[in-house]
Amino acid sequence: MILRVNELNAGYTWGDNLVHAVNDVSFEVEKGEFLGIAGESGCGKSTLAFSITGLLRPPGHIFSGSVFFMGKDLANLSKEEIRRLRWKDFSIVFQSSMNVLNPVLRIKDQIFDGITAHVNVDKEELLAHTKKLFKLVNVSSEFLDAYPHQLSGGMKQRIVIASALSLNPKLVIMDEPTTALDVVVQRIILQEIDELRRKLGFSIIFITHDLSLLVEISDTLAIMYAGRIVEKAPSAELYAKPMHPYTEGLMNSFPPLSGKRKRLHGIPGHPPKLSEEIKGCPFATRCPKKMPICENISPPYIEVEKGHFVACHLYK
């Protein structure tokens, strides 16, 4: 096992105000696994990523819980200890590559900086390694001397991914890395990421609000809503048999590739405010299968079938 997140609670505080963005989240990632986490904007996905990697800055805080990476509890390590692990043992690809790359530095200098912060290597070896990284992500090495504004969006994204892979980490967390790209480029980059994962053997946590991107490629899918994971299962099983009403709503929101055309239906209503206390099931106000118990008691997160977990009062 590479990563185990156990009952993690995190969010933001200012004065007497509190936003509970990650609420009692638990999951595991095995070696070489591709875990997809999907959910609406504002459900706590990015806060979860920052909490795991030690990048949650004030007013953000981890309130409780543990994050074990290869047996080490990251929540109890110092900033310097986490900095030594970050990029070398685990790395993160942030949202919007347009903003990640420094506009006044050449591409090669930005990648060199991340590598030399962790290992001592001469310039010739550094350049040769960077060229190999570019080849891995299908970018010509002639762009090493380019500035970010000289590259397309897809190329920038590939370079950010190359930088995250520069020290052969065991886990890469990707926080909506393809959101700013068109659907064709998104698909190509996602397939390339999966090929790299199979070739190099690292694990991936891929965070997105687009469930259709993950269904075919990820090994396991987790559905997040209002700071909580409400369903988690092997991708094929979750696609064939979604158990949580929210997951069903997400599945019905994108068109099928074959078969008869059908009218699509969105999920009515809005997610609850994470700055307010949520009584009962957070999805109750939008759920077509709501029962009286849903408004008062939060459903437990249980294993309904082997490997299929769900937080819903429909299952006991």
Side-chain angles (χ1 to χ4, degrees), residues 31-292:
K31 182 179 179 181
E33 182 180 3
F34 192 128
L35 170 65
I37 299 179
E40 292 174 87
S41 296
C43 72
K45 303 185 301 295
S46 294
T47 303
L48 176 61
F50 292 150
S51 299
I52 292 172
T53 55
L55 292 171
L56 191 61
R57 298 287 184 258
H61 302 279
I62 294 177
F63 304 132
S64 63
S66 58
V67 179
F68 283 93
F69 174 75
M70 298 183 66
K72 297 179 180 179
D73 188 355
L74 300 183
N76 290 328
L77 297 183
S78 67
K79 290 182 179 179
E80 179 58 28
E81 288 173 321
I82 293 179
R83 190 197 70 81
R84 288 198 296 265
L85 291 174
R86 193 186 301 124
W87 229 247
K88 189 175 181 181
D89 291 318
F90 63 86
S91 61
I92 182 168
V93 177
F94 298 98
Q95 292 187 44
S96 182
S97 60
M98 320 294 181
N99 301 327
V100 170
L101 296 171
N102 191 320
V104 299
L105 292 178
R106 295 184 188 275
I107 296 299
K108 68 178 182 182
D109 295 327
Q110 300 189 51
I111 295 181
F112 290 176
D113 184 56
I115 296 173
T116 55
H118 292 274
V119 295
N120 293 320
V121 60
D122 61 56
K123 288 187 176 180
E124 289 185 5
E125 189 178 350
L126 191 60
L127 183 59
H129 179 63
T130 304
K131 287 182 177 179
K132 287 181 181 178
L133 289 172
F134 271 48
K135 187 176 181 180
L136 276 175
V137 296
N138 295 320
V139 176
S140 173
S141 59
E142 67 184 50
F143 293 104
L144 280 167
D145 289 314
Y147 290 95
H149 72 271
Q150 296 174 300
L151 308 177
S152 69
M155 291 172 68
K156 290 178 187 177
Q157 193 59 69
R158 287 182 171 92
I159 287 168
V160 171
I161 293 168
S163 180
L165 298 175
S166 58
L167 292 169
N168 297 319
K170 299 173 180 64
L171 172 68
V172 180
I173 298 174
M174 299 186 173
D175 185 12
E176 301 196 38
T178 60
T179 299
L181 307 175
D182 64 74
V183 291
V184 175
V185 176
Q186 282 185 23
R187 178 74 177 185
I188 292 170
I189 290 180
L190 193 58
Q191 288 175 333
E192 291 173 350
I193 290 169
D194 191 44
E195 288 174 8
L196 286 172
R197 192 247 321 187
R198 296 178 188 278
K199 182 177 181 179
L200 302 177
F202 58 87
S203 303
I204 292 176
I205 298 176
F206 195 101
I207 295 171
T208 182
H209 61 266
D210 190 347
L211 181 59
S212 61
L213 271 177
L214 297 174
V215 168
E216 292 184 30
I217 294 178
S218 61
D219 299 315
T220 310
L221 268 174
I223 305 301
M224 199 165 178
Y225 183 79
R228 310 176 190 189
I229 289 181
V230 296
E231 186 167 5
K232 178 176 174 287
S235 298
E237 183 177 336
L238 188 140
Y239 177 73
K241 188 181 178 182
M243 291 187 170
H244 197 283
Y246 177 61
T247 309
E248 289 185 41
L250 290 179
M251 290 293 185
N252 291 330
S253 65
F254 58 90
L257 296 177
S258 60
K260 293 182 179 180
R261 289 186 298 174
K262 63 177 182 178
R263 184 175 296 277
L264 300 179
H265 300 280
I267 302 174
H270 302 279
K273 294 181 179 180
L274 299 181
S275 58
E276 299 176 357
E277 183 179 356
I278 300 174
K279 186 179 180 181
C281 175
F283 190 61
T285 58
R286 309 173 71 187
C287 184
K289 300 178 181 180
K290 180 178 67 174
M291 302 178 290

